[in-house]
Amino acid sequence: MTTKHILLLHGDGIGPEVVGEAKRVLEWCGTAAGMSFVFDEALIGGSAYDAVGTPYPAETLEKAKKADAILLGAVGGPKWESLEYAKRPERGLLGIRKDLDLFANLRPAMCFAALADASSLKPEIISGLDILIVRELTGDIYFGQPRGVSVENGHRVGRNTMIYADWEVTRIGRVALDLARARGKKLCSVDKANVLETTEMWREEVQKLRDAEYKDIELSHMYVDNAAMQLVRAPKQFDVMVTGNIFGDILSDCAAMLTGSLGMLPSASLGAEINGKRAALYEPVHGSAPDIAGKGVANPIATILSVSMMLRYSFGLNAQADLVDAAVANVLESGLRTGDIMQTGAKKVGTREMGDAILTALQNLAANTKVA
Ligand code: NAD
């Protein structure tokens, strides 16, 4: 039996509650797939600071490097906001992303039919939406030198540098093209090639890679201003989109809100493949929600959908991932809602009840489809 090691980083606030439900889904899927999932845990964020005086203990990095995949809840909260910068919970998250060189951030935007009314867009524009934004996460204007604010000729001057090397473009391009190949075989690369030379090079490199190795993928290029407009005008025209760090930061938040609620949005961050293993961290897009922490009312769906991404991208268990997505859809169809996605006529449930309902839906689906 294949064994996979999964590291759970519960983090702060609602992190432990939502990771708890997602772990139950993972356990079920492991058994169903005939795969042995071995779980370990480590500290991160404010809870790590409280326990050992640092938000990012060395032991956490050691365990993360050994794991086949990592599931993280969320970090942060008002309790730790006055700490010095190096001890704040967010340092844990930024540290692990950097140390594992997680350069590819995958943010799907899916709209479940039952929630089409929750979007600020018309239901027909949004219903059935299933797009994936691939954002480069370790380069671009956030890291380029020179940077900073100086005084020049009596005026304050601020500067940041947009920078990419061809190999950085090729490696994120390859991730996106592979993902497109496994989905609808359509990739849109987003840039501002009409005015920024860095992104003109980006466009050329992505095109070169597609022409050399991915002739089966339909590649288009779009300027970022048009892409933002198209995302709200007709988002279903896209399948996979790939872009640099700053454009991706903005476009992925824009796409995320098409679907209505933070409690529904999963994400994955992938690193380079080393000796056949790719570092991978899965986490909900939302934060630690201190306002509802410990009350048992958080929506666990974003974390459960992050588990679906883990099954798909780290373990190749596409049938189980499809089951998880379908189980979530069925539970929403049945009218169960956590407070954040509550609608008139629906039944309000807590974190555990939502987890229970998704597990039951999984069992029913598996019995009916015999996929598992
Ligand atoms: P947040 O995402 O934690 O919460 C925003 C609002 O959405 C809150 O009203 C919250 O109750 C609600 N919400 C979020 N997730 C929910 C869920 N699963 N179910 C139901 N409701 C949910 O953002 P915030 O309030 O700006 O930040 C709170 C803390 O989280 C801060 O310390 C922030 O730094 C941190 N944060 C962490 C991450 C992360 O760990 N990746 C991301 C964003 C914010």
Side-chain angles (χ1 to χ4, degrees):
M1 191 190 274
T2 314
T3 299
K4 296 289 180 192
H5 294 268
I6 299 170
L7 180 65
L8 303 176
L9 302 175
H10 295 92
D12 310 321
I14 60 169
E17 297 165 63
V18 293
V19 169
E21 295 313 306
K23 183 187 177 199
R24 295 164 74 208
V25 169
L26 262 177
E27 282 170 329
W28 186 91
C29 291
T31 309
M35 211 178 246
S36 160
F37 287 160
V38 177
F39 294 95
D40 197 358
E41 294 178 4
L43 294 166
I44 197 159
S47 48
Y49 173 78
D50 286 348
V52 294
T54 164
Y56 185 36
E59 190 193 32
T60 300
L61 175 60
E62 257 170 61
K63 288 185 174 184
K65 281 184 174 162
K66 287 189 191 134
D68 292 302
I70 303 164
L71 180 66
L72 183 136
V75 297
K79 185 178 173 195
W80 303 283
E81 265 164 22
S82 54
L83 287 175
E84 63 179 281
Y85 189 64
K87 295 194 167 152
R88 296 226 188 121
E90 294 72 22
R91 298 315 301 165
L93 189 52
L94 296 176
I96 201 164
R97 282 181 183 156
K98 180 168 170 287
D99 288 338
L100 298 181
D101 196 15
L102 301 173
F103 68 90
N105 185 228
L106 278 51
R107 296 261 298 257
M110 277 188 290
C111 183
F112 290 93
L115 295 184
D117 284 343
S119 172
S120 51
L121 298 188
K122 293 186 194 114
E124 63 267 26
I125 291 184
I126 209 72
S127 183
L129 179 77
D130 180 8
I131 61 179
L132 178 62
I133 298 198
V134 181
R135 167 188 171 194
E136 202 288 330
L137 206 57
T138 53
D140 207 348
I141 197 163
Y142 296 143
F143 298 96
Q145 296 287 347
R147 64 184 300 156
V149 178
S150 53
V151 177
E152 294 171 25
N153 301 324
H155 293 282
R156 295 180 76 218
V157 177
R159 99 172 22 85
N160 291 91
T161 304
M162 177 174 269
I163 182 164
Y164 270 117
D166 54 2
W167 62 269
E168 292 175 291
V169 179
T170 310
R171 77 173 179 171
I172 191 76
R174 191 178 294 286
V175 168
L177 285 158
D178 282 338
L179 288 164
R181 188 171 267 167
R183 290 171 47 105
K185 297 199 163 34
K186 249 174 72 177
L187 176 67
C188 177
S189 173
V190 177
D191 58 48
K192 188 75 183 169
N194 49 342
V195 285
L196 297 172
E197 290 85 347
T198 307
T199 70
E200 195 180 358
M201 184 275 289
W202 172 290
R203 180 179 285 224
E204 289 162 5
E205 291 299 321
V206 175
Q207 186 66 51
K208 239 188 333 192
L209 179 64
R210 181 265 168 200
D211 292 347
E213 297 176 41
Y214 296 87
K215 288 208 170 65
D216 54 321
I217 308 299
E218 186 191 318
L219 173 66
S220 60
H221 302 274
M222 199 177 270
Y223 296 142
V224 63
D225 41 350
N226 187 23
M229 207 165 67
Q230 295 300 330
L231 266 177
V232 288
R233 191 188 70 84
K236 282 190 264 183
Q237 69 183 282
F238 297 111
D239 176 21
V240 181
M241 301 174 89
V242 64
T243 190
N245 206 345
I246 190 164
F247 297 158
D249 191 358
I250 299 159
L251 290 184
S252 60
D253 269 19
C254 170
M257 281 327 288
L258 296 175
T259 65
S261 167
L262 257 179
M264 297 293 300
L265 299 166
S267 79
S269 301
L270 309 179
E273 209 172 294
I274 300 168
N275 299 330
K277 196 170 101 176
R278 192 188 277 288
L281 182 135
Y282 299 86
E283 58 182 321
V285 167
H286 62 71
S288 59
D291 52 333
I292 56 166
K295 296 183 178 161
V297 298
N299 186 350
I301 294 179
T303 316
I304 289 171
L305 293 175
S306 302
V307 156
S308 159
M309 295 183 82
M310 180 191 291
L311 294 167
R312 205 180 291 284
Y313 300 127
S314 283
F315 305 146
L317 296 175
N318 290 354
Q320 272 69 31
D322 288 346
L323 272 187
V324 173
D325 295 348
V328 169
N330 285 4
V331 168
L332 294 172
E333 286 297 334
S334 78
L336 297 194
R337 301 280 187 275
T338 43
D340 59 313
I341 51 172
M342 190 56 196
Q343 290 166 308
T344 324
K347 180 175 177 225
K348 195 164 169 182
V349 295
T351 312
R352 178 42 74 111
E353 284 164 288
M354 182 56 90
D356 284 343
I358 291 170
L359 276 171
T360 305
L362 269 174
Q363 281 151 9
N364 292 340
L365 277 167
N368 291 336
T369 58
K370 302 230 179 310
V371 172

